[in-house]
């Protein structure tokens, strides 16, 4: 079997961690059991480009149980857990191409290995496989029936392709499922981003000014959790509604250049480019820590920071110290790559349980509906979303009420008004 992982000897350690995550992914496990019995993906070639983590390993096991023939590559050069990559190859027989710290050339060579698999289904986190196929490997289009996309940034790229008439096959937007972004983006990114900052720096969050750029699903989670740990949270936005929401949620809101002067820790999570830019580097306090939890590291203008610095050194693993001409230092975490996946382990399994339940069911949906789905971005059907929420509640032992016949009738009627 062809593969590219750092050290196959790490496989046993990876297996233990995959099993640990699996204990907290009961919804995905129940789908795996059904897939093993029904084989809804029988013989389907799947090329997945996802963060190679313990949770992803359990998704791969689920797809394989459903009969899929899978190749996995990394969706980020720094997010791979090398022991998990080794275990996927050694213990689960899944061809994996992923090395933590791989350079850009190796990253795309791995994406190409996934495309060489001649996928019928693509599974992306950030649309790199789909983008590469359309731009450089159009011969692969012939076999593809459809794909799935995990994250906000990928969905934005795919919608832009669809609007240009460039997208040649249907893609299910897993990110848009309520059981994905409401929980993964908010609670997952909220907890794991701070986990990444803490593991990298071991700095106290209490009493510190923590700036969050972007008050979307992820930004709300980070602000909420940082506030809970005693930080003075400042939110930066460009959308007046989101900014207003942040104000009403009790945070200070201001322009970036004002925030730069007070930030102890500044985290970007916007999906946008150069959110921390040249003017901010000029205004920043000595010792400020900057990190990104959005999909691409272009959220921080790292090239400008490197140019401004008179010296750069790594002071802890994944913590670079940039010394400015006036003597101030700025600390950049993980080269601006997703801080939660680079410096910690990504989202806890319990939220990925729902995100990856959506991925597995979206792949099944794609196989069943390939004939009728047109090229473009399609939502996860509402009944899949509701079923995942129902299953998740059941695994948590939470019961809820159902509508009585009287309530059903009342809610469906329009005749009743003020009495
Ligand atoms: N770290 C992770 O594990 C993880 C998980 C999920 C999503 N993501 C990524 O995080 C990013 C954000 O995702 P989301 O779901 O919160 O998206 P979202 O669309 O809900 O929120 C993004 C917010 O950023 C704001 N914004 C855009 N440009 C800005 C700027 N220059 N300054 C300040 N605010 C700006 C937008 O107005 C919006 O409110 C995406 O890149 C997504 O792919 C990362």
């Amino acid at each position: 079997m062809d593969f590219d992982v750092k050290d196959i000897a790490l496989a046993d350690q990876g297996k233990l961690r995959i099993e640990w995550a699996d204990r907290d992914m009961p919804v995905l496990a129940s789908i795996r059991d059904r897939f093993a019995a029904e084989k809804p993906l029988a013989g389907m070639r799947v090329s997945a480009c996802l963060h190679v983590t313990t949770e992803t390993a359990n998704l791969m096991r689920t797809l394989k149980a459903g009969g899929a023939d899978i190749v996995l590559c990394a969706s980020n050069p720094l997010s791979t857990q090398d022991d998990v990559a080794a275990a996927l190859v050694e213990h689960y027989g899944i061809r994996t191409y992923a090395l933590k710290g791989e350079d850009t050339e190796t990253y795309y060579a791995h994406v190409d290995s996934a495309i060489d698999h001649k996928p019928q289904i693509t599974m992306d986190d950030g649309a790199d496989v789909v983008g590469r196929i359309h731009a450089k490997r159009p011969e692969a289009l012939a076999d593809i029936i459809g794909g799935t996309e995990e994250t906000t940034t990928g969905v934005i790229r795919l919608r832009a392709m669809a609007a240009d008439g460039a997208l040649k096959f249907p893609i299910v937007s897993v990110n848009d499922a309520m059981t994905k972004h409401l929980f993964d983006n908010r609670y997952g990114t909220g907890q794991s981003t701070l986990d990444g900052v803490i593991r990298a720096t071991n700095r106290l969050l209490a009493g510190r000014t923590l700036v969050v750029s972007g008050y979307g699903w992820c930004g709300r989670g980070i602000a909420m959790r940082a506030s809970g740990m005693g930080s003075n949270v400042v939110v930066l936005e460009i959308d007046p509604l989101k900014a207003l929401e942040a104000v009403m949620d009790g945070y200070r809101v201001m322009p970036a250049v004002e925030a730069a002067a007070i930030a102890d820790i500044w985290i970007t999570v916007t999906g946008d480019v150069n959110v921390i830019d040249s003017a901010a580097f000029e205004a920043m306090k000595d010792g400020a820590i900057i990190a990104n939890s959005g999909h691409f590291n272009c959220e921080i203008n790292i090239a400008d920071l490197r140019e401004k610095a008179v010296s750069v050194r790594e002071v802890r693993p994944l913590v670079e110290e940039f010394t400015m001409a006036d003597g101030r230092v700025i600390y950049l975490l993980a080269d601006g790559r997703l801080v939660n996946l680079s410096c910690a382990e990504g989202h806890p399994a319990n939220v990925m349980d729902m995100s990856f339940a959506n991925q597995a069911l979206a792949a099944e949906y794609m196989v069943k509906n390939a004939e009728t789905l047109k090229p473009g971005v399609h939502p996860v059907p509402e009944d899949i979303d509701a079923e995942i929420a129902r299953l998740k509640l059941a695994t948590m032992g939470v019961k809820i009420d159902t509508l009585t016949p009287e309530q059903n009738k009342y809610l469906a009627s329009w005749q009743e008004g003020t009495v």
Side-chain angles (χ1 to χ4, degrees), residues 151-153 185 189 216-218 237 242 272 293 295 338 340 347:
T151 197
T152 315
T153 284
N185 299 31
T189 314
W217 291 107
C218 296
E237 255 296 345
K242 302 276 179 63
D272 198 0
S293 210
H295 192 77
L338 295 146
N340 58 337
H347 293 1

Side-chain angles (χ1 to χ4, degrees), residues 35-344:
F35 273 21
E38 296 176 7
K39 303 282 177 206
L41 307 177
M44 277 284 150
R45 290 187 304 278
V46 177
S47 293
C49 178
L50 301 167
H51 300 296
V52 180
T53 63
T54 53
E55 296 79 15
T56 299
N58 287 317
L59 172 61
M60 296 300 106
R61 293 174 59 199
T62 305
L63 301 178
K64 192 172 177 188
D69 170 13
I70 310 157
V71 170
L72 172 67
C73 67
S75 61
N76 185 289
L78 268 186
S79 63
T80 297
Q81 297 170 3
D82 290 316
D83 55 349
V84 170
L88 277 165
V89 171
E90 182 79 3
H91 294 298
Y92 301 105
I94 289 167
R95 277 172 57 198
T96 302
Y97 297 85
L99 305 164
K100 181 163 182 154
E102 62 197 15
D103 59 19
T104 308
E105 201 185 319
T106 311
Y107 177 80
Y108 280 104
H110 287 164
V111 171
D112 277 334
S113 297
I115 298 171
D116 291 343
H117 186 48
K118 297 191 169 48
Q120 291 157 295
I121 295 181
T122 62
M123 196 168 269
D124 257 317
D125 185 331
D128 276 346
V129 165
V130 172
R132 185 94 171 162
I133 287 173
H134 283 75
K136 298 221 169 13
R137 304 283 310 269
E139 80 283 0
L141 287 168
D143 292 312
I144 296 176
I145 61 165
T148 66
E149 171 54 52
E150 171 77 9
T151 197
T152 315
T153 284
V155 173
I156 290 171
R157 289 170 89 190
L158 295 169
R159 290 225 163 88
M161 284 175 78
D164 278 351
L167 187 60
K168 301 289 186 224
F169 55 86
I171 295 196
V172 176
S173 163
V174 167
N175 185 69
D176 290 344
M178 299 290 253
T179 46
K180 197 280 182 180
H181 66 257
L182 270 172
F183 304 95
D184 167 319
N185 299 31
R186 184 165 43 170
Y187 302 110
T189 314
Q191 177 169 319
S192 63
T193 298
L194 297 188
D195 187 16
V197 171
I198 292 167
R199 290 199 207 187
T201 65
N202 196 27
R203 286 279 153 84
L204 188 72
L205 296 191
R208 293 275 161 72
T209 299
L210 189 142
V211 176
V212 183
S213 285
Y215 202 62
W217 291 107
C218 296
R220 287 186 189 103
I222 296 169
M224 173 172 57
R225 292 298 179 244
S227 177
M229 290 187 75
S231 295
N232 298 308
V233 175
V234 173
V235 170
L236 314 185
E237 255 296 345
I238 45 93
D239 178 335
L241 275 171
K242 302 276 179 63
L244 186 59
E245 188 186 357
V247 172
M248 297 272 181
D249 285 345
Y251 304 117
R252 282 182 292 165
V253 175
M254 62 184 73
V257 73
E258 275 178 40
I262 57 170
D264 294 306
I265 299 167
W266 186 346
I267 300 165
T268 55
V269 71
T270 67
D272 198 0
V273 67
N274 292 340
V275 176
I276 306 186
D277 209 351
S278 197
F281 299 137
E282 301 285 354
M284 260 176 208
K285 263 166 73 167
D286 180 34
I289 293 167
I290 55 178
N292 169 49
S293 210
H295 192 77
F296 291 118
N297 67 347
C298 65
E299 299 214 15
I300 300 174
N301 189 344
I302 298 169
D304 185 82
L305 182 59
R306 284 198 192 285
E307 211 173 285
K308 281 193 166 60
V310 292
S311 67
V312 183
R313 58 178 185 151
E314 190 173 47
V315 290
R316 291 165 62 90
L318 298 172
V319 181
E320 269 184 301
E321 181 191 69
F322 292 77
T323 303
M324 302 289 111
D326 59 8
R328 284 174 307 126
V329 300
I330 295 171
Y331 296 110
L332 172 68
L333 306 191
D335 194 33
R337 308 272 180 201
L338 295 146
V339 68
N340 58 337
L341 283 142
S342 305
C343 300

Side-chain angles (χ1 to χ4, degrees), residues 27 30-31 34 179 361 381-393:
V27 175
S30 71
I31 294 170
R34 178 172 69 75
T179 46
L361 297 183
E382 275 177 28
D383 56 331
I384 289 184
D385 226 349
E387 174 66 3
I388 291 172
R390 199 188 57 73
L391 284 170
K392 189 73 176 172
L393 284 171

